[in-house]
Amino acid sequence: SYVLTQPPSVSVAPGQTARITCGANNIGAKSVHWYQQKPGQAPVLVVYNDSDRPSGIPERISGSNSGSTATLTISRAEAGDEADYYCQLWDGSTDHWVFGGGTKLTVL
Amino acid sequence: EVQLLESGGGLVQPGGSLRLSCAASGFTFSNFAMTWVRQAPGKGLEWVSSISFSATYTYYADSVKGRCTISRDNSKNTLYLQMNSLRAEDTAVYYCAKGVGGYNPNYFDFWGQGTLVTVSS
């Protein structure tokens, strides 16, 4: 079954660009979705189907997916972007829904 | 406005049982697959179980298969998770999440605030 590998932590300076990766064999052939979770809150969908944004999610947040890596990109990072971010996909071979281990984004 | 309100969590002894509920509103509940996701203290998200819109199909993580049963009552707009033979490692916040598909939730566009299940003697 799929195992999604994320870095435990990423740091970024305010105003700079943060990239959070999600790795798996041939993940580019799958649709990847991303969630933001702030402390004490429920997860929020921020990117779906690799690169689409739900309404209300700023254009600063974007996604891409190719080869063995899916990437969530947060441009012009702000203090309010500090959160845990999780990638997720559906593994059709097992009918399981899989989450990555999560990445803690710190805006220094 | 979509709302998902979980209830039924609490403290239970190892080997005990608990039934979680999720009351849904703000969308046509009977059209969408629903899912339970849990998060152990200080840990990441773990998919637990999903159910198709008409309850024809149910899916379980290996960690809970045989011990948990997901169900839904579309007349009451409510999702359930019956949890039996609970173990310490089942301790977590359990979230109810709405899928975007009918048979396959695919991804989860709305989440409840969660209910805490603590398994301890």
Side-chain angles (χ1 to χ4, degrees), chain B residues 38 46-48 60-65 67-68 87 90:
Chain B
R38 69 185 181 184
E46 180 189 13
W47 170 74
V48 174
Y60 298 95
D62 295 344
S63 57
V64 303
K65 195 167 188 176
R67 301 188 298 119
C68 291
R87 308 165 179 167
D90 295 317

Side-chain angles (χ1 to χ4, degrees), chain B residues 21-76:
Chain B
S21 300
C22 171
S25 61
F27 66 102
T28 306
F29 180 75
S30 58
N31 284 355
F32 295 95
M34 297 294 294
T35 291
W36 290 98
V37 175
R38 69 185 181 184
Q39 186 170 35
K43 302 297 185 182
L45 302 174
E46 180 189 13
W47 170 74
V48 174
S49 181
S50 296
I51 186 168
S52 62
F53 71 103
S54 61
T56 302
Y57 301 103
T58 57
Y59 311 90
Y60 298 95
D62 295 344
S63 57
V64 303
K65 195 167 188 176
R67 301 188 298 119
C68 291
T69 301
I70 191 171
S71 62
R72 63 191 296 161
D73 185 336
N74 286 345
S75 69
K76 295 182 178 179

Side-chain angles (χ1 to χ4, degrees), chain A residues 71-106:
Chain A
T71 303
L72 180 72
T73 301
I74 302 173
S75 304
R76 302 183 299 282
E78 305 171 353
D81 296 326
E82 283 203 339
D84 294 325
Y85 291 85
Y86 296 90
C87 58
Q88 175 257 316
L89 56 73
W90 172 59
D91 181 357
S93 67
T94 59
D95 276 335
H96 279 34
W97 286 259
V98 183
F99 287 95
T103 298
K104 181 178 181 61
L105 176 67
T106 300

